[in-house]
């Protein structure tokens, strides 16, 4: 049984003070999180204040990206060991906003994931197709390619330390959620590819999150699919009560 995993991606929202306030609200409302793993990914500058706010809570702290080197002349970047040093448990890599607005490629996503694992960070690797790719029946080809490139050369142990987030680009921030069947089809394919790459027993342990317009009132339906093990949540993760409802829906799945 895979523990459902809900992670809030706060994107470029919330400076240190308001971020800590939301983190405190979530810690109070979620309590022991009841059978669900919960993470939040604030902007870099808010990581220290949020780390302090959730210090006595099971909520885990994530960065939104990391560089592939430990340090160096890379203006604007943050390394995986630096994220560890401010208290991060994990990091998101390959988010479609990074791929589309900041030129992230399959090769850089792979390099970032590798560095994150080397630093001992749990690594959420995002994959997903655009609307044009879905409409031209390329979804499985695109997602399969992104996945294989991201974990290329990883040992089964490294694959097991990853979480895959399937996020159809057309569903992110648009209010258009994939149907449970559309999402399940891709999740099952991802688990199959992970099996080819790392063996069936590793594949059966990897959590595969869905992301894209997940909210309190649609989470349960999507989370009930057999290969959907949680959610990566953008907009709704900025609203305490909505995020708490999503975690509660995951708790129902956990039984
Ligand atoms: P959304 O974003 O929930 O606002 O659609 C999801 C994501 O980008 O991870």
């Amino acid at each position: 049984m895979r523990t459902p995993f809900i992670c809030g991606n706060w994107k470029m929202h919330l400076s240190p003070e308001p971020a800590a306030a939301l983190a405190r609200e979530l810690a109070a409302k979620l309590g022991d999180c009841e059978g669900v793993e919960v993470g939040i990914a604030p902007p870099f500058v808010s990581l220290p204040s949020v780390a302090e706010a959730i210090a006595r809570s099971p909520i885990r702290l994530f960065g939104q990206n990391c560089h592939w080197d430990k340090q160096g002349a890379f203006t604007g970047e943050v390394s995986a060991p630096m994220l560890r040093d401010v208290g991060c448990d994990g990091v998101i890599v390959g988010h479609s906003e990074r791929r589309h607005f900041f030129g992230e490629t399959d090769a850089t996503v792979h390099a970032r994931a590798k560095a994150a694992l080397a630093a001992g960070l749990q690594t959420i690797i995002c994959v997903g197709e655009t609307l044009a790719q879905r409409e031209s029946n390329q979804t499985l080809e695109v997602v399969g390619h992104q996945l294989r490139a991201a974990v290329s050369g990883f040992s089964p142990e490294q694959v097991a330390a990853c979480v895959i987030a399937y996020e159809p680009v057309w569903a992110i921030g648009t209010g258009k959620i994939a149907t449970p069947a559309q999402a399940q089809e891709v999740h099952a394919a991802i688990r199959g590819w992970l099996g080819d790459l790392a063996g069936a027993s590793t594949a059966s342990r990897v959590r595969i999150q869905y992301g894209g317009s997940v909210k309190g009132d649609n989470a349960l339906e999507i989370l009930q699919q057999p290969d959907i093990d949680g959610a990566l949540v953008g907009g709704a993760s900025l609203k305490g009560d909505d995020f708490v409802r999503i975690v509660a829906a995951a708790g129902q799945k956990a039984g």
Side-chain angles (χ1 to χ4, degrees):
M1 179 69 196
R2 297 178 291 270
T3 304
F5 176 25
I6 305 294
C7 189
N9 173 10
W10 293 359
K11 307 192 179 182
M12 199 172 72
H13 296 283
L14 302 179
S15 291
E17 273 295 303
L22 178 56
R24 279 193 295 273
E25 177 189 342
L26 293 176
K29 290 184 173 163
L30 290 171
D32 68 3
C33 297
E34 288 179 13
V36 182
E37 191 175 318
V38 179
I40 46 180
F44 291 137
V45 293
S46 301
L47 287 169
S49 69
V50 171
E52 201 183 317
I54 59 175
R56 279 166 297 282
S57 145
I59 300 173
R60 302 170 75 238
L61 188 64
F62 282 72
Q64 295 178 14
N65 191 22
C66 69
H67 194 262
W68 50 85
D69 265 347
K70 294 190 176 112
Q71 59 187 34
F74 299 105
T75 302
E77 292 283 325
V78 167
S79 76
M82 288 172 178
L83 292 179
R84 274 226 73 102
D85 287 348
V86 291
C88 283
D89 302 290
V91 64
I92 301 167
V93 298
H95 191 279
S96 67
E97 286 150 15
R98 299 287 327 159
R99 293 179 192 258
H100 295 124
F101 298 131
F102 303 104
E104 201 76 69
T105 64
D106 285 336
T108 58
V109 173
H110 168 69
R112 292 179 198 273
K114 203 168 155 187
L117 292 175
L121 294 170
Q122 187 177 35
T123 307
I124 301 176
I125 298 173
C126 303
V127 294
E129 82 288 0
T130 62
L131 185 59
Q133 288 164 335
R134 175 160 284 270
E135 285 176 343
S136 56
N137 278 326
Q138 290 177 287
T139 297
L140 294 182
E141 189 189 320
V142 167
V143 174
H145 182 82
Q146 289 174 339
L147 180 77
R148 277 188 282 271
V151 303
S152 152
F154 283 9
S155 66
E157 292 70 33
Q158 286 175 305
V159 170
C162 295
V163 170
I164 308 300
Y166 167 57
E167 300 203 300
V169 177
W170 48 271
I172 295 178
T174 58
K176 278 188 222 146
I177 188 168
T179 65
Q182 280 175 327
Q184 168 58 26
E185 181 196 15
V186 181
H187 281 236
I190 290 172
R191 203 172 304 286
W193 296 317
L194 290 173
D196 298 341
L197 293 163
S201 101
T202 299
S204 71
R205 287 188 285 137
V206 175
R207 267 87 53 87
I208 308 174
Q209 297 175 315
Y210 170 82
S213 299
V214 175
K215 313 235 176 310
D217 55 14
N218 62 21
L220 187 58
E221 197 186 17
I222 201 102
L223 289 169
Q224 271 168 342
Q225 297 301 306
D227 287 294
I228 301 185
D229 309 311
L232 186 56
V233 184
S237 71
L238 296 167
K239 301 175 200 142
D241 286 334
D242 219 10
F243 190 67
V244 168
R245 280 182 70 200
I246 296 168
V247 174
Q252 261 179 269
K253 172 158 184 159

